[in-house]
């Protein structure tokens, strides 16, 4: 789970120490050339703004299964389904549902589909509904939590979902991994983390998008890979398990993330609530409640902006959005976003999708640094190699170097630049006869300090900078089974990365598909 922390993880190095054992979003119709020809591609947009509509449900009517649009509003449907002369039902909270005949979708172009904003009301409904006056926003939320056992299944159920994780830099996808999974949930009266079983139906490392192995390392919560002012609990399990932990509704009696903590116990006392509006749509009307951290917690350099969609008749929570920010600097910095949505199936609520994203930082590999130090005992020379070409202006200045043998200073007589390699220099050491002789085998007795050097790009030696990325984990349900259709076999190890788990072959796998993002 993600938890905030109080101190920064960075160390600002001003000098380099090293032993000789150195350890180092406007769209138009276009022909889809770069995507698979087996799919039809669509994009959902707001009819007023023209912006993409994220996380809308696209259901194939007769099949009872479908996909969720991604953050840009994109989705894909296999052409084999179009041949079935079926209809797409497109729905999204806040928008009027739309029905589209699959036969009318173009096969070689991006199909842009506009949705209209649903009717929004507040004053009129509040005047007519006396119970709104008697229930404060906080009481509405309190009742919605109390109704979770009634509104969500207490009996075993399962669902098939498309899962993906990836990073982004400047909105470009990096390290996209995709899978189809089947989740077997024993019901909301059980511990999701301990009792829920998962089958891996398909797994794909997507090489169509950029891959960077340096970003795939685990979080160390310190320097190599970390969330500023927060941490990832390494005991949380693999990437999929970590995502599912962040469903605060399913885990309303278990820890989820900072300030939400255990929803049943902590959500109300840690936040204050405001009724923003009431929206009337197909299937009823909903309270839209905004919330933020209560005053005692706001002084702790954190801010929360969140929103709830709660059914006015059943008090079922349809959608929860939670964003945590750090406010220590002038501009608030996002720490994480958690978003989860549930939809009704036969009078009970089942997961529709969950999306969790966080920022993270890693050391800049282009920072000016030493990559190798070698000692020649015969010539009494130190050879120093850098990762970047050094600036020749100050590299020859003797005062920039300090060498010690057995913790005693040894003068540097001369700095020699390598004429064939502008990343390498050699330091000629003063021959001090009263020092025990240093051989190549015990060269760790010799230490070097270097200051005031920079590379040709102006980077200072030893100065650490960090690159910012976003990490996404998302799961989109394609079909819900009110009861288990078959006993789960080949269950994944929740602490083993998905790529290392065994794929469980299923006769139904071909009926589901990966909603791979569109190439730019």
């Amino acid at each position: 789970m993600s938890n905030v922390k109080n101190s920064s993880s960075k160390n600002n190095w001003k000098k380099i120490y090293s032993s000789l054992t150195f350890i180092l979003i406007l769209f138009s119709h276009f022909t889809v050339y770069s995507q698979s020809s087996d799919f039809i591609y669509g994009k959902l947009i707001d009819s007023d703004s023209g912006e993409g509509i994220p996380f809308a449900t696209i259901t194939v009517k007769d099949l009872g299964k479908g996909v969720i649009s991604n953050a840009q509003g994109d989705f894909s449907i296999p052409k084999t389904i179009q041949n079935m002369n079926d209809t797409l039902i497109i729905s999204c909270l806040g928008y009027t549902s739309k029905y589209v005949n699959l036969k009318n979708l173009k096969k070689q172009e991006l199909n842009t589909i506009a949705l209209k904003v649903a009717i929004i009301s507040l004053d009129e409904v509040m005047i007519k509904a006396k119970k709104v006056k008697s229930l404060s926003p906080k009481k509405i939320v309190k009742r919605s939590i109390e109704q979770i056992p009634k509104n969500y299944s207490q009996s075993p159920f399962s669902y098939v979902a498309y899962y993906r994780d990836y990073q982004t830099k400047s909105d470009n996808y990096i390290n996209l991994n995709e899978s189809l999974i089947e989740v077997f949930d024993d019901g909301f009266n059980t511990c999701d983390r301990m009792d829920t079983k998962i089958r891996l139906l398909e797994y794909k490392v997507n090489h169509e998008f950029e891959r960077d192995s340096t970003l795939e390392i685990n979080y160390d919560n310190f320097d190599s890979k970390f969330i500023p002012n927060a941490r990832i609990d390494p005991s949380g399990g693999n990437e999929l398990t970590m995502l599912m932990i962040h469903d605060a509704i399913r885990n309303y009696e278990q820890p989820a993330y900072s300030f939400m903590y255990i929803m049943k116990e902590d959500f109300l006392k840690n936040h204050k609530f405001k009724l923003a509006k009431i929206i009337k749509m197909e299937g009823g009307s909903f309270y839209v409640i905004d919330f933020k951290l209560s005053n005692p917690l706001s002084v702790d350099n954190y801010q929360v902006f969140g929103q709830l969609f709660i059914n006015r008749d059943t008090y079922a929570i349809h959608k929860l959005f939670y964003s945590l920010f750090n406010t220590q600097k002038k501009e608030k910095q996002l720490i994480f976003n958690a978003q989860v949505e549930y939809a009704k199936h036969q009078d009970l609520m089942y997961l529709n999708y969950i999306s969790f994203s966080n920022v993270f930082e890693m050391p800049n590999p282009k920072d000016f640094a030493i990559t190798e130090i070698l000692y020649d005992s015969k010539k009494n020379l130190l050879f120093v190699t850098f990762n970047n070409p050094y600036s020749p202006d100050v590299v020859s200045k003797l005062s920039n170097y300090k060498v010690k043998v057995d913790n005693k200073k040894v003068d540097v007589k001369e700095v020699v630049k390598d004429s064939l390699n502008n990343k390498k220099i050699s330091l000629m050491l003063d021959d001090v006869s009263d020092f025990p002789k240093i051989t190549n085998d015990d060269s760790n007795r010799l230490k070097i300090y270097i200051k005031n050097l920079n590379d040709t790009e102006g980077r200072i030696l030893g100065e650490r900078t960090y690159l910012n990325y976003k990490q996404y984990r998302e799961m989109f349900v394609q079909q819900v089974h009110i009861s288990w259709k078959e006993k789960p076999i080949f269950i994944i190890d929740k602490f083993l990365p998905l790529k290392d788990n065994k794929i469980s072959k299923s006769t139904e796998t071909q009926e589901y598909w990966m909603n791979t993002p569109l190439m730019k």
Side-chain angles (χ1 to χ4, degrees):
M1 73 194 77
S2 300
N3 293 303
V4 300
K5 65 181 180 182
N6 295 322
S7 61
S8 172
S9 301
K10 298 180 182 179
N11 294 320
N12 295 318
W13 295 351
K14 296 301 181 183
K15 294 183 179 180
I16 288 293
Y17 159 78
S18 175
S19 70
L20 292 180
T21 55
F22 191 74
I23 300 176
L24 304 176
I25 323 189
L26 182 61
F27 261 87
S28 60
H29 290 302
F30 65 98
T31 302
V32 187
Y33 294 108
S34 58
Q35 304 293 137
S36 170
S37 60
D38 297 330
F39 288 85
I40 295 168
Y41 297 94
K43 183 179 183 67
L44 304 179
I45 63 169
D46 185 298
S47 60
D48 295 327
S49 69
E51 294 183 357
I53 299 176
F55 307 140
T57 303
I58 301 101
T59 304
V60 182
K61 182 180 178 182
D62 292 342
L63 288 181
K65 63 185 67 170
V67 292
I68 310 292
S69 65
N70 64 15
Q72 292 74 40
D74 303 327
F75 68 92
S76 61
I77 300 292
K79 287 183 178 178
T80 53
I81 291 179
Q82 185 185 39
N83 297 333
M84 300 169 64
N85 197 27
D86 210 331
T87 300
L88 294 183
I89 304 173
I90 303 173
S91 59
C92 183
L93 278 175
Y95 291 88
T96 301
S97 296
K98 191 164 189 172
Y99 294 79
V100 177
N101 191 321
L102 269 167
K103 288 288 187 182
N104 295 333
L105 295 180
K106 300 175 182 178
K107 295 182 178 181
Q108 299 299 322
E109 294 181 351
L110 181 68
N111 296 272
T112 302
I113 302 170
L115 300 185
K116 294 182 179 180
V117 176
I119 298 173
I120 297 176
S121 177
L122 179 58
D123 295 336
E124 179 184 351
V125 176
M126 291 186 68
I127 292 172
K128 293 181 179 180
K130 294 182 179 180
K131 65 178 180 179
V132 174
K133 294 183 179 181
S134 63
L135 282 180
S136 66
K138 186 172 184 178
K139 287 182 179 179
I140 293 172
V141 177
K142 183 175 184 293
R143 182 171 293 185
S144 72
I145 297 174
E146 292 172 344
Q147 291 297 308
I148 286 178
K150 181 179 179 181
N151 286 320
Y152 304 81
S153 180
Q154 306 298 299
S155 302
F157 63 94
S158 66
Y159 55 87
V160 176
Y162 165 61
Y163 166 81
R164 68 184 180 201
D165 56 72
Y166 56 94
Q167 291 110 19
T168 62
K169 180 71 173 177
S170 302
D171 296 326
N172 293 316
Y173 287 88
I174 306 172
N175 297 332
L176 173 63
N177 303 308
E178 305 173 276
S179 60
L180 291 174
I181 60 171
E182 187 166 17
V183 178
F184 298 86
D185 194 318
D186 279 329
F188 271 49
N189 57 338
T190 64
C191 178
D192 184 38
R193 182 177 177 183
M194 299 296 295
D195 300 325
T196 296
K197 301 172 180 61
I198 302 170
R199 284 200 304 176
L200 182 62
L201 303 178
E202 191 174 344
Y203 184 83
K204 176 184 178 183
V205 176
N206 195 316
H207 292 282
E208 296 177 2
F209 296 87
E210 178 185 350
R211 300 204 68 86
D212 186 343
S213 60
T214 62
L215 302 182
E216 295 182 295
I217 64 172
N218 294 329
Y219 288 89
D220 68 348
N221 293 325
F222 176 64
D223 185 71
S224 296
K225 185 178 182 180
F226 59 93
I227 303 174
N229 302 289
R231 62 181 175 84
I232 289 286
D233 186 349
S235 64
N238 65 19
E239 62 270 40
L240 175 57
T241 307
M242 287 293 295
L243 171 65
M244 296 175 70
I245 288 173
H246 289 86
D247 181 351
I249 298 174
R250 174 61 183 87
N251 300 293
Y252 76 107
E253 294 183 307
Q254 306 293 328
Y257 41 81
S258 287
F259 303 123
M260 174 67 75
Y261 301 126
I262 299 175
M263 186 182 194
K264 183 178 180 180
E265 300 175 3
D266 303 303
F267 186 37
L268 289 172
K269 66 183 181 183
N270 288 346
H271 302 80
K272 54 183 179 181
F273 304 87
K274 177 184 177 181
L275 180 61
K277 57 190 174 184
I278 293 175
I279 58 174
K280 300 169 64 178
M281 298 187 304
E282 300 172 30
S285 60
F286 299 84
Y287 298 116
V288 181
I289 296 178
D290 294 339
F291 61 86
K292 58 184 179 180
L293 286 179
S294 54
N295 287 328
L297 289 171
S298 298
V299 297
D300 201 21
N301 298 317
Y302 296 101
Q303 284 186 0
V304 164
F305 295 94
Q307 196 170 67
L308 288 160
F309 286 71
I310 300 174
N311 187 287
R312 293 180 62 230
D313 295 320
T314 65
Y315 290 91
I317 302 172
H318 282 247
K319 185 175 181 179
L320 166 63
F321 181 80
Y322 198 105
S323 291
L324 177 66
F325 295 86
N326 174 42
T327 58
Q328 287 178 315
K329 298 182 179 180
K330 289 184 179 180
E331 293 185 4
K332 63 184 180 184
Q333 296 177 314
L334 176 69
I335 297 177
F336 69 76
N337 279 321
Q339 188 169 164
V340 60
E341 181 178 293
Y342 280 75
K344 182 179 285 189
H345 296 272
Q346 298 184 15
D347 298 326
L348 289 176
M349 305 293 292
Y350 295 91
L351 181 67
N352 201 27
Y353 71 85
I354 176 172
S355 174
F356 183 85
S357 62
N358 60 267
V359 298
F360 71 91
E361 294 187 7
M362 296 186 68
N364 188 342
K366 294 184 179 180
D367 286 342
F368 193 28
I370 297 172
T371 58
E372 185 180 53
I373 299 176
L374 297 175
Y375 175 59
D376 187 332
S377 59
K378 292 182 179 180
K379 297 181 179 180
N380 207 20
L381 286 175
L382 272 177
F383 297 98
V384 182
T385 304
F386 306 98
N387 62 332
N388 302 330
Y390 53 75
S391 173
D393 298 337
V394 294
V395 73
S396 300
K397 192 173 181 179
L398 296 180
S399 61
N400 290 337
Y401 307 90
K402 184 166 64 174
V403 177
K404 288 186 177 182
V405 177
D406 296 337
N407 212 29
K408 294 180 181 180
K409 183 180 177 181
V410 177
D411 290 334
V412 178
K413 295 169 60 177
E414 185 180 358
V415 179
V416 181
K417 293 181 282 188
D418 191 317
S419 60
L420 300 178
N421 187 347
N422 61 356
K423 297 181 182 180
K424 189 174 182 179
I425 60 173
S426 57
L427 306 180
M428 185 177 296
L429 303 182
D430 191 13
D431 187 9
V432 182
S433 58
D434 60 336
F435 282 6
K437 184 178 180 181
I438 301 172
T439 66
N440 292 332
D441 293 333
D442 61 355
S443 57
N444 60 336
R445 294 166 48 210
L446 192 151
K447 299 176 183 179
I448 178 173
Y449 303 81
I450 304 177
K451 63 179 181 180
N452 298 333
L453 262 62
N454 57 276
D455 63 14
T456 54
E457 298 295 325
R459 305 180 188 93
I460 299 173
L461 183 65
E463 187 173 278
R464 303 298 298 272
T465 62
Y466 294 83
L467 298 178
N468 298 290
Y469 299 90
K470 288 184 179 179
Q471 171 78 54
Y472 290 83
R473 295 183 177 94
E474 299 174 323
M475 182 166 66
F476 307 99
V477 175
Q478 290 199 13
Q479 188 173 41
V480 173
H481 300 301
I482 304 304
S483 58
W484 290 4
K485 295 190 67 176
E486 56 181 296
K487 291 184 178 181
I489 54 176
F490 302 126
I491 301 305
I492 70 166
D493 181 340
K494 292 184 178 181
F495 288 89
L496 194 65
L498 286 181
K499 64 181 178 61
D500 297 326
N501 269 284
K502 183 175 181 179
I503 293 178
S504 175
K505 298 295 183 182
S506 172
T507 57
E508 296 183 351
T509 302
Q510 63 270 22
E511 298 180 15
Y512 305 97
W513 64 96
M514 296 183 181
N515 192 29
T516 302
L518 293 178
M519 299 286 289
K520 285 189 176 182

